[in-house]
C-alpha cells in the first residue's frame, strides 16, 4: 500500500513546548505509513508552557513544512473527542525509556476505554533521541549549555531569544 492509497488518519498529540528532534524523528518515521498525520498541540495552558499554543503551532509549521501529508493543528479538551472529529483511527505516541511506559500505558488504556475504535500506536524513539525532552532542553539552554542537535535550528534560535528575554 502506498501513502496515496491509505485513508488512515493518525493524530500525534503533545505539548511540544518546544518541538525537539525526537518529535521530528517520530514524524519522519510515521508520516510515510499513514494517509495523514495530524500533529496537534495541546492548547491547555495548565502546564504553564514557555510558548503559547500559537507559537508552538508556528514552530511545528516551520520544521514540518516538507511533509506533504502532515497537518499541524491544536486541540483542547479530551484527546479522543478531538481524534474522532479528525476521523483518526490512530493516536501516535513516542516512548523513550521505561520511565515513559507507565504514564503512556495509563493514557492509552483510558483512551481505549473512552474510544475502543481508536488505537494508540507507540513508536520507540530513535537511539540518538531517547534522552531528549522539551523540559531538559529548556533547562540546559537556560543554564548556558549547548543544545545544538537536540532541536531543529529555527527552534534553537527562538528558544535562545525567549530565554534571554526572560533574563535567563
Ligand atoms: O507531550 P505530552 O505533554 O506528553 O502530551 C500529553 C497529552 C497532550 C497527549 C495528554 O496530556 C492529553 O492527551 N491531554 C488531553 C486531555 C485528555 O484527553 N486527557 C485524558 C487522556 S487519558
Amino acid at each position: 500500500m502506498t501513502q496515496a492509497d491509505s485513508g488512515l488518519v493518525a493524530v500525534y498529540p503533545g505539548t511540544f513546548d518546544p518541538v525537539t528532534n525526537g518529535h521530528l524523528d517520530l514524524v519522519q518515521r510515521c508520516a510515510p505509513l499513514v494517509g495523514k498525520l495530524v500533529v496537534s498541540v495541546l492548547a491547555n495552558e495548565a502546564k504553564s508552557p514557555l510558548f503559547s499554543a500559537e507559537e508552538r503551532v508556528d514552530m511545528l509549521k516551520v520544521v514540518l513544512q516538507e511533509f506533504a501529508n502532515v497537518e499541524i493543528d491544536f486541540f483542547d479538551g479530551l484527546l479522543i473527542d478531538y481524534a474522532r472529529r479528525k476521523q483518526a483511527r490512530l493516536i501516535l505516541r513516542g516512548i523513550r525509556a521505561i520511565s515513559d511506559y507507565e504514564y503512556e500505558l495509563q493514557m492509552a488504556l483510558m483512551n481505549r476505554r473512552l474510544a475502543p475504535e481508536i488505537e494508540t500506536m507507540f513508536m520507540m524513539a530513535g537511539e540518538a533521541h531517547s534522552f531528549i525532552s522539551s523540559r531538559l532542553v529548556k533547562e540546559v539552554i537556560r543554564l548556558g549549555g549547548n543544545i545544538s542537535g537536540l532541536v531543529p535550528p529555527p527552534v534553537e534560535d527562538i528558544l535562545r531569544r525567549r530565554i534571554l528575554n526572560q533574563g535567563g
Side-chain angles (χ1 to χ4, degrees), residues 13-16 42 47 75 77-79 93 103 107 110-111:
T15 306
F16 302 108
L42 177 67
K47 291 193 178 185
F75 76 104
L78 274 182
L79 173 60
R93 292 289 288 169
Y103 169 59
M107 278 205 300
M110 179 60 83
N111 284 334

Side-chain angles (χ1 to χ4, degrees), residues 59-158:
M59 282 188 268
L60 282 163
K61 282 185 176 161
V62 169
V63 302
L64 297 176
Q65 58 188 327
E66 72 195 76
F67 296 92
N69 66 332
V70 171
E71 178 186 316
I72 317 295
D73 194 17
F74 63 90
F75 76 104
D76 212 342
L78 274 182
L79 173 60
I80 50 107
D81 288 341
Y82 172 76
R84 279 177 172 149
R85 285 200 299 279
K86 287 287 177 183
Q87 301 189 318
R89 295 281 316 282
L90 267 189
I91 292 170
L92 170 69
R93 292 289 288 169
I95 292 219
R96 290 163 299 190
I98 202 79
S99 48
D100 285 338
Y101 178 80
E102 220 167 311
Y103 169 59
E104 294 298 336
L105 177 71
Q106 238 182 347
M107 278 205 300
L109 293 181
M110 179 60 83
N111 284 334
R112 191 195 293 165
R113 185 184 172 97
L114 296 169
E117 78 281 11
I118 300 176
E119 266 314 324
T120 299
M121 182 175 84
F122 294 107
M123 290 181 74
M124 298 300 153
E127 320 73 277
H129 305 105
S130 59
F131 62 96
I132 304 176
S133 72
S134 301
R135 184 182 62 78
L136 273 186
V137 164
K138 285 181 284 191
E139 184 173 318
V140 169
I141 198 165
R142 192 169 275 132
L143 298 173
N146 181 2
I147 60 155
S148 70
L150 304 183
V151 295
V155 173
E156 184 175 344
D157 290 345
I158 294 166

